[in-house]
């Protein structure tokens, strides 16, 4: 059961001590101070789950303390106590953000009941914040498309693994869909009603990543104007997905290891320890044993994470799923267009080093660039691979129609070179976007710098 931290500010020592003893016996962690100024200092040092402020205190009164407290910890529920009850004072307290208002001498059982309700709302707000964060980053459903044997084996193992609570390590090349498998682990688990929160473990430098994961206290560093819970806390009762775990800085690896061993976190700049129930699912496109041998990844963390490993196969090992994926992507894009047989044949031959993500980009380009209902090979913008062994013309470059004879088209005209195909493809993308180079680069799947270089190389000009 979670232990809640309470802050009491009251200048009447006997009443303050009475509350501290009574609530302490109820299992609360209570810090009691005698003034509003001391209360604000305490709030700046650590986070509390609720607070009780006396209305009349020397220096800052209860209302002023409440307003300042909400600047430090905006979601803090505060009860106001006063020996001078009046409707005007009650309205002022509620307007200032108080959760409730009780008059002295107050019934302690009533105070405890109101406090419990305030804490219930606090827990609900934190849970909702975690859910909103999860929904902001990802949708509600997981769609894993494929009927190949490698995919069937993977999904069968994923369903079994999902029922446990141990850490899971997902391995696979970039673009294979590791995050989809992580979501499946979550949604097929008893934690499905909790949040699923992903974070790229290699996207931030160590100090920022530590703060993002474990939170920080107010004033912990420049710009920390308020206390903030970390993603580990927001994932309470659910799953935290650590993508690209192999790129996590070593100093953060040490803190993650401590969390996996104790399930306890301490925010940056804070001494308070919080216990958090969350499942860790990690993913990597690197060989972690190589990273361990190179000293870039902690061996003890590797063994802690590697309880169960799920391997996501690359697309080239499940080519039979490509037609299903193409159909799925066309539906996802809301397109009624179809791939021509030649175009589908070219897709089936590609290596797709970018895997499913690259295939989606190719299908999207085809939808945008095809002038009619049918997506032809020249609409895909692919550098066509060499013919497979045993086919006529083996070793020759395929033409943009997917034919592999290496000679000429049915009209007797020679096939264009790959440079000519690329030039025409870039020109079409520029025309479709009104020569908006940023949009054209996105459409082509290249950087703006690369596009500028190609435009210069091919001598392309607007209006040509």
């Amino acid at each position: 059961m979670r232990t809640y931290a309470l802050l009491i500010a009251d200048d009447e020592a006997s009443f303050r001590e009475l509350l501290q003893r009574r609530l302490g016996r109820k299992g609360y962690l209570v810090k009691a101070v005698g003034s509003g100024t001391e209360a604000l200092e305490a709030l700046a040092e650590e986070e509390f789950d609720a607070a009780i402020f006396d209305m009349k205190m020397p220096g800052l009164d209860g209302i002023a303390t409440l307003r300042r407290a909400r600047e430090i910890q905006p979601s803090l529920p505060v009860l106001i106590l006063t020996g001078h009850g009046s409707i005007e004072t009650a309205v002022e307290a509620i307007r200032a953000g108080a959760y409730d208002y009780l008059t002295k001498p107050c019934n302690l059982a009533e105070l405890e009941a109101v406090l419990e309700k305030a804490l219930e709302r606090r827990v609900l707000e934190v849970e909702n914040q975690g859910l909103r964060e999860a929904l902001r980053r990802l949708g509600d459903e997981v769609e894993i498309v494929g009927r190949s044997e490698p995919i069937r084996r993977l999904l069968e193992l994923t369903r079994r693994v999902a029922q446990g609570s141990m850490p899971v390590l997902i391995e696979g090349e970039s673009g294979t869909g590791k995050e989809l498998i992580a979501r499946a682990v979550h949604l097929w688990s008893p934690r499905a009603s909790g949040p699923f929160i992903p974070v790229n473990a290699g996207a931030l430098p160590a100090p920022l990543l530590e703060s993002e994961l474990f939170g920080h206290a107010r004033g912990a560093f420049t710009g920390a104007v308020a206390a903030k819970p970390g993603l580990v806390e927001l994932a309470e009762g659910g799953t935290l997905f650590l993508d690209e775990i192999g790129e996590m800085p070593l100093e953060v690896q040490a803190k993650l290891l401590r969390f996996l061993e104790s399930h306890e976190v301490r925010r940056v700049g804070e001494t308070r320890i919080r216990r958090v129930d969350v499942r860790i699912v990690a993913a990597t496109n690197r060989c972690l044993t190589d990273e361990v041998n190179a000293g870039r990844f902690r061996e003890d963390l590797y063994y802690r994470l590697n309880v169960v490993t799920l391997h996501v196969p690359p697309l080239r090992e499940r080519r039979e799923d490509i037609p299903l994926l193409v159909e799925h992507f066309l539906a996802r894009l809301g397109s009624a267009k179809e791939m021509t047989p030649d175009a589908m044949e070219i897709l089936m031959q590609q290596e797709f080093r970018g895997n499913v993500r690259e295939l989606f980009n190719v299908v999207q380009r085809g939808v945008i660039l095809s002038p009619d209902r049918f997506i032809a090979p020249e609409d895909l913008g692919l550098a066509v691979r060499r013919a497979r062994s045993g086919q006529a013309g083996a070793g020759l470059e395929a033409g943009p129609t997917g034919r592999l004879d290496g000679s000429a088209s049915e009209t007797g005209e020679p096939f264009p070179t790959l440079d000519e195909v690329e030039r025409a493809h870039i020109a079409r993308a520029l025309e479709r976007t009104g020569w908006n180079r940023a949009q054209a680069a996105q459409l082509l799947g290249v950087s703006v710098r690369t596009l500028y270089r190609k435009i210069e190389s091919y001598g392309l000009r607007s209006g040509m």
Side-chain angles (χ1 to χ4, degrees):
M1 183 177 178
R2 180 179 173 183
T3 300
Y4 295 102
L6 304 180
L7 175 62
I8 298 174
D10 195 309
D11 63 327
E12 187 179 340
S14 59
F15 182 72
R16 183 173 72 240
E17 292 166 3
L18 171 65
L19 278 185
Q20 188 172 18
R21 288 196 303 272
R22 171 89 176 226
L23 295 174
R25 286 197 297 269
K26 294 289 184 179
Y28 295 105
L29 294 175
V30 183
K31 183 177 183 66
V33 297
S35 69
T37 301
E38 291 176 289
L40 296 177
E41 291 173 353
L43 287 167
E45 292 289 330
E46 59 181 301
E47 185 176 5
F48 293 88
D49 295 296
I52 302 171
F53 296 158
D54 187 25
M55 177 67 80
K56 299 293 183 180
M57 292 185 291
L60 293 175
D61 64 12
I63 298 295
T65 304
L66 167 63
R67 290 194 174 104
R68 296 274 295 278
R70 290 182 64 80
E71 293 176 2
I72 301 171
Q73 296 184 21
S75 60
L76 180 73
V78 177
L79 306 184
I80 293 290
L81 303 179
T82 182
H84 308 279
S86 69
I87 294 177
E88 291 78 10
T89 307
V91 169
E92 185 183 5
I94 298 301
R95 283 179 175 172
Y99 175 79
D100 210 338
Y101 173 96
L102 297 174
T103 58
K104 286 182 176 181
C106 62
N107 183 304
L108 294 184
E110 181 184 3
L111 184 148
E112 290 171 6
V114 173
L115 184 60
E116 286 178 6
K117 289 181 179 178
L119 289 168
E120 286 175 3
R121 190 178 77 170
R122 164 76 165 174
V123 169
L124 184 61
E125 286 177 350
V126 170
E127 289 177 349
N128 286 343
Q129 186 178 359
L131 286 171
R132 284 194 299 271
E133 180 70 13
L135 292 174
R136 181 183 70 80
R137 295 168 178 245
L138 288 172
D140 288 325
E141 298 179 357
V142 57
E143 295 180 290
I144 301 172
V145 179
R147 297 174 189 165
S148 63
E149 185 59 28
I151 283 295
R152 287 203 298 266
R153 288 197 304 267
L154 172 62
L155 296 184
E156 181 182 350
L157 180 57
T158 300
R159 288 188 182 278
R160 294 204 305 267
V161 168
Q163 299 308 307
S165 59
M166 73 292 287
V168 177
L169 180 63
I170 303 173
E171 296 179 335
E173 297 175 7
S174 294
T176 51
K178 296 186 292 296
E179 186 166 329
L180 285 177
I181 298 300
R183 291 187 66 200
V185 170
H186 172 73
L187 291 173
W188 295 342
S189 78
R191 296 173 175 268
S193 60
F196 174 84
I197 298 186
V199 58
N200 189 320
L204 298 172
L208 292 180
L209 180 60
E210 181 183 356
S211 171
E212 182 80 358
L213 285 175
F214 303 112
H216 61 256
R218 179 175 179 265
F221 50 83
T222 303
V225 296
K228 177 186 174 184
L231 295 178
V232 173
E233 289 179 61
L234 294 180
E236 169 75 34
T239 303
L240 182 70
F241 173 51
L242 299 173
D243 199 8
E244 305 303 346
I245 189 72
E247 299 178 19
M248 177 178 280
L250 280 167
E251 50 265 55
V252 184
Q253 290 179 31
K255 296 180 184 297
L256 176 61
L257 177 63
R258 285 199 294 271
F259 171 71
L260 287 169
E261 291 173 340
S262 66
H263 294 283
E264 295 177 341
V265 297
R266 184 171 62 189
R267 295 180 183 175
V268 177
E270 192 174 284
T271 57
R272 179 183 170 193
I273 300 295
R274 293 173 169 80
R275 187 166 182 83
V276 182
D277 174 28
V278 60
R279 185 182 198 177
I280 298 295
V281 176
T284 181
N285 60 4
R286 300 185 178 188
C287 177
L288 288 189
T289 53
D290 289 346
E291 296 298 300
V292 169
N293 292 334
R296 292 187 293 266
F297 201 83
R298 293 180 62 109
E299 185 175 19
D300 45 7
L301 177 59
Y302 171 68
Y303 288 117
R304 175 68 68 171
L305 290 171
N306 194 28
V307 178
V308 177
T309 301
L310 300 174
H311 178 75
V312 186
L315 188 55
R316 62 184 174 276
E317 292 181 6
R318 57 182 187 108
R319 293 182 188 276
E320 58 266 48
D321 289 333
I322 290 177
L324 289 173
L325 287 164
V326 169
E327 181 180 348
H328 171 71
F329 292 150
L330 289 172
R332 178 174 160 187
L333 292 166
S335 174
K337 295 186 177 183
E338 302 175 26
M339 288 282 171
T340 64
D342 284 348
M344 185 63 75
E345 176 64 20
I346 286 178
L347 291 178
M348 294 292 288
Q349 293 175 16
Q350 295 297 306
E351 287 298 311
F352 285 118
R353 293 297 176 183
N355 292 293
V356 178
R357 185 184 298 128
E358 182 185 354
L359 176 61
F360 174 76
N361 290 339
V362 169
V363 172
Q364 187 176 38
R365 283 200 297 271
V367 168
I368 295 172
L369 295 178
S370 60
D372 51 36
R373 178 184 169 188
F374 297 100
I375 301 172
E378 59 265 27
D379 300 319
L380 300 176
L382 290 170
V384 186
R385 69 189 289 256
R386 294 185 182 274
R388 285 179 280 186
S389 60
Q391 289 181 308
L396 299 175
E397 294 292 337
T401 61
R403 297 181 181 86
L404 299 167
D405 56 17
S407 56
S409 66
E410 293 176 355
T411 64
E413 294 294 324
F415 287 123
T417 66
L418 289 178
D419 281 349
E420 290 170 336
V421 171
E422 184 178 56
R423 185 183 190 281
H425 182 61
I426 292 172
R428 183 181 297 182
L430 289 166
E431 290 169 5
R432 290 289 178 89
T433 59
W435 272 77
N436 183 312
R437 291 163 179 79
Q439 292 179 12
Q442 184 176 10
L443 184 63
L444 293 164
V446 300
S447 68
V448 175
R449 179 179 297 179
T450 297
L451 178 58
Y452 270 100
R453 190 167 61 248
K454 293 289 186 180
I455 289 172
E456 183 68 24
S457 173
Y458 291 132
L460 295 171
R461 297 291 183 270
S462 178
M464 289 180 65

